[in-house]
Amino acid sequence: MRTTVAAAPAGWRMRPRTRKGVLVVHIVAAGAWIGLDVMLGVLVFTAMFTGDRATASLGYQALPLLLWPIIAAAVVCLASGVVLGLGTHHGLLRYWWVAVKLALNLLLTALVVLLLRPGLYEAAEYGRRLAVGPATADLGDLVFPPIVSSTALVVATVLSVYKPWGQVGGSAAERA
Ligand code: HEM
């Protein structure tokens, strides 16, 4: 017997118009999140590799501006994704492509709050020191968040469109 974990009971299905509205919110939040990661990458790489101290200083000081927009996009993407999962036949843990996206979204959001947030404030502080004179800091790890996050979000987008791997707990024949 196949178990379908957290699939939407028939009574919980969203009406088509509601589903489309939530899907628009979901896609816009996911797109915004990717765009913000690209902005983060542009600022980080410019600040790190420019030869101009004033530009580097401004770039580092601007980084915390992206923190709350990234958190907001991640939370809206997560919340709308959960509503879409629960309110449609997709379920939350019924299909691998949804379950993996849920795990990615939770992991990325946790990394933003736990690792990126202190890193951005540290970089901004370094930017303020750079504004008044030469300074040094070990901020090499800052290159990873934009690369890792945007790569994971592109993977999530590909999963959303191709919907691979079938059902969680499904047979190999079903997955093929
Ligand atoms: C990790 C970041 C995420 C990105 C980049 C993302 C991206 C997308 C995109 C582009 C679509 C539209 C696919 C299409 O219509 O062909 C989609 C649909 C969907 N997503 Fe996400 N998503 C993410 C997170 C989540 C999460 C966390 C969940 C649920 C826990 C989720 C559940 C769904 C579901 C169920 C659909 C299909 C909606 C429908 O057609 O009714 N997504 N997602």
Side-chain angles (χ1 to χ4, degrees), residues 19 23 26-27 30 33 77-78 81-82 84-85 88 90 92 97-98 101-102 104-105 153 156-157 160-161 163:
R19 180 196 143 248
L23 185 56
H26 187 61
I27 293 172
W33 191 357
C77 186
L78 178 66
V82 167
L84 284 170
T88 66
H90 294 114
L92 260 198
W97 66 272
V98 183
K101 287 202 316 169
L102 178 59
L104 280 177
N105 203 325
L153 292 176
T157 305
S160 310
V161 173
K163 301 177 173 50

